[in-house]
């Protein structure tokens, strides 16, 4: 009898663990990313860094770790890489500075944290996480956010750490063309117009862990030539980042002013919660209908509690990838690549 019970117990625990799905998705920004303008070396560099970030997060999930830890692990790989517009390699403001934004949210209790306009925090996503876990607030900005990060023992670095020549050259080019400016001709005046070949290089990650918890995170240097301490959607919960275990986790990249006005990340969740749309239907509608009608360029990554992944974008490309516990995996860049 004892043996039968033991076998039954073993069978139950094996089948329970077999059901535990987990998955991760990442992005490294959307925009006018054309194969014709990419060298094979550059493309390979992006693909292998995306894979490294994805695997860093996936490893956390595979070992039974929490979704938020996976999100931070994946994002930190991209923050540390000069390829992406986050951490090292962040774009320059009009004044030639790097001002970074980041946010994180976990879907179980709707906890969230964010930092905006920080200039010395080596890993802005880790500061966002500290705000979520170690402060009574959701969003800290500027010098106060840096003071908080330093009190929490996070690494602060000299501003020169973030410098990447390619980003500096982009600022110079844009300043010359004066192409990111207030568009006074537009009917909806006070909107930035961005050059046609703009690339949004923000990074983000969404994850589902073995306990069924969802998390999302986003980290960025914002938009080249931004002024007046402009802050985009990335550190705004509900715009650039959102997670709710009932629905999905979302991280966005694109023209932040539109993403804030469309409340993009929360909108995807709300369409699922209130209208019963699937993850794919909800995210496609927001990116390819709502944003397109408003004129907002960009894309997002989203994951639901079943481990389904959706990665819609309305630009030429989006650096992206996903990996699931059922073995499905993909790294992609261009719009021509199948999902
Ligand atoms: N969404 C970011 C911002 O507007 C830019 C990006 O995605 O690259 O600040």
């Amino acid at each position: 009898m004892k043996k039968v019970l033991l076998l039954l117990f073993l069978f139950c625990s094996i089948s329970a663990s077999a059901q535990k799905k987990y998955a991760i998705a990442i992005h490294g920004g959307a925009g006018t990313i054309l194969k014709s303008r990419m060298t094979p070396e550059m493309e390979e560099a992006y693909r292998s860094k995306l894979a490294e970030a994805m695997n860093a997060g996936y490893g956390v999930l595979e070992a039974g770790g929490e979704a938020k830890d996976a999100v931070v692990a994946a994002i930190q790989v991209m923050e540390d890489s000069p390829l992406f517009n986050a951490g090292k390699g962040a774009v320059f403001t009009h004044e030639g500075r790097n001002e970074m934004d980041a946010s994180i949210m976990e879907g179980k209790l709707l906890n969230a944290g964010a930092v905006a306009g920080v200039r010395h925090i080596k890993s802005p996503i880790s500061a966002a996480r500290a705000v979520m876990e170690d402060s009574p607030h959701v969003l800290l900005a500027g010098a106060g956010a840096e003071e908080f990060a330093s009190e929490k023992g996070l690494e602060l670095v000299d501003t020169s750490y973030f410098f990447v020549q390619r980003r500096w050259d982009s600022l110079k080019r844009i300043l010359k063309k004066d192409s990111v400016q207030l568009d006074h001709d537009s009917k909806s005046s006070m909107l930035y117009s961005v050059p046609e070949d703009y690339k949004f290089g923000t990074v983000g990650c969404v994850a589902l862990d073995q306990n069924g918890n969802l998390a999302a995170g986003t980290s960025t240097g914002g938009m080249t030539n931004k002024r007046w301490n402009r802050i985009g959607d990335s550190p705004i919960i509900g715009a650039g980042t959102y997670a709710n275990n009932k629905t999905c986790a979302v991280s966005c990249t694109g023209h932040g002013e539109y993403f804030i006005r469309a409340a993009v990340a929360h909108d995807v969740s709300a369409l699922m919660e209130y209208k019963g749309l699937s993850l794919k239907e909800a995210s496609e509608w927001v990116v390819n209908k709502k944003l397109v009608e408003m004129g907002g360029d960009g894309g997002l990554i989203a994951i639901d509690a079943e481990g389904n992944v959706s990665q819609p974008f309305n630009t030429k490309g989006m650096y992206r990838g996903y990996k699931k516990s059922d073995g499905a995996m993909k790294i992609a860049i261009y719009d021509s690549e199948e999902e």
Side-chain angles (χ1 to χ4, degrees):
M1 182 63 180
K2 256 190 191 167
K3 265 191 188 161
V4 175
L5 280 177
L6 188 67
L7 279 174
L8 198 67
F9 173 76
L10 276 176
F11 176 77
C12 288
S13 39
I14 287 169
S15 53
S17 67
Q19 282 165 8
K20 281 181 185 164
K21 287 182 194 165
Y22 51 95
I24 191 163
I26 58 166
H27 72 77
T32 314
I33 308 166
L34 300 169
K35 198 170 175 67
S36 56
R37 288 206 221 141
M38 188 87 94
T39 64
E41 294 75 29
M42 201 64 171
E43 184 174 323
E44 180 45 34
Y46 273 106
R47 287 188 192 273
S48 74
K49 196 47 89 173
L50 286 168
E52 184 187 330
M54 192 174 74
N55 286 326
Y58 189 81
V60 172
L61 300 173
E62 199 172 26
E66 291 187 52
K68 65 180 171 184
D69 291 328
V71 164
V72 172
I75 288 182
Q76 277 181 331
V77 170
M78 295 186 279
E79 283 183 336
D80 291 349
S81 163
L83 291 175
F84 303 98
N85 172 20
K88 188 172 185 60
V91 298
F92 286 93
T93 65
H94 187 72
E95 301 80 12
R97 293 203 291 255
N98 304 112
E99 293 176 358
M100 292 156 286
D101 310 324
S103 66
I104 189 164
M105 181 160 187
E106 48 179 353
K108 189 178 178 189
L109 297 170
L110 307 183
N111 280 334
V115 292
V118 295
R119 301 188 50 218
H120 300 91
I121 301 174
K122 188 175 179 213
S123 168
I125 193 68
S126 65
R129 182 196 178 139
V131 173
M132 173 170 80
E133 292 177 341
D134 255 346
S135 90
H137 306 300
V138 169
L139 173 57
L140 301 181
E146 298 196 335
E147 194 186 323
F148 168 81
S150 146
E151 271 177 31
K152 296 298 164 194
L154 299 182
E155 191 176 354
L156 267 63
V157 292
D158 187 78
T159 52
S160 59
Y161 165 78
F162 301 102
F163 183 90
V164 166
Q165 189 66 43
R166 190 163 68 105
R167 300 294 191 205
W168 184 251
D169 295 343
S170 302
L171 173 67
K172 294 283 154 209
R173 256 197 321 273
I174 285 183
L175 282 175
K176 223 178 183 173
K177 284 199 275 181
D178 201 18
S179 51
V180 173
Q181 60 189 5
L182 282 177
D183 180 8
H184 295 291
D185 297 337
S186 154
K187 280 218 176 74
S188 49
S189 62
M190 304 308 284
L191 286 180
Y192 282 105
S193 63
V194 297
E196 259 172 37
D197 60 351
Y198 200 87
K199 293 179 194 67
F200 305 95
T202 292
V203 307
C205 178
V206 293
L208 165 71
D209 66 27
Q210 296 194 29
N211 291 320
N213 288 319
L214 293 169
T218 311
S219 182
T220 189
M223 290 175 72
T224 306
N225 200 21
K226 64 185 182 179
R227 288 177 91 170
W228 307 305
N229 297 118
R230 175 266 188 193
I231 290 166
D233 60 309
S234 308
I236 308 296
I237 298 300
T241 302
Y242 194 73
N244 183 343
N245 277 6
K246 278 202 251 172
T247 54
C248 61
V250 182
S251 169
C252 302
T253 176
H255 195 160
E257 279 68 14
Y258 291 87
F259 280 66
I260 293 173
R261 292 164 59 227
V264 169
H266 183 263
D267 226 30
V268 175
S269 171
L271 284 168
M272 293 176 71
E273 186 172 4
Y274 306 140
K275 256 190 140 185
L277 265 55
S278 70
L279 181 82
K280 194 169 168 49
E281 288 166 345
S283 54
E284 287 284 350
W285 190 85
V286 175
V287 171
N288 285 315
K289 182 152 172 59
K290 184 174 179 178
L291 272 175
V292 167
E293 282 172 8
M294 289 172 77
D297 292 339
L300 61 81
I301 54 170
I303 191 167
D304 68 14
E306 296 298 312
N308 296 307
V309 168
S310 178
Q311 303 183 304
F313 51 96
N314 60 33
T315 49
K316 290 281 176 214
M318 181 167 85
Y319 298 107
R320 61 200 187 279
Y322 65 80
K323 192 168 180 175
K324 302 180 183 184
S325 55
D326 66 6
M329 184 180 132
K330 175 117 191 164
I331 297 283
I333 300 178
Y334 312 109
D335 60 358
S336 53
E337 289 173 271
E338 269 171 46
E339 290 312 308

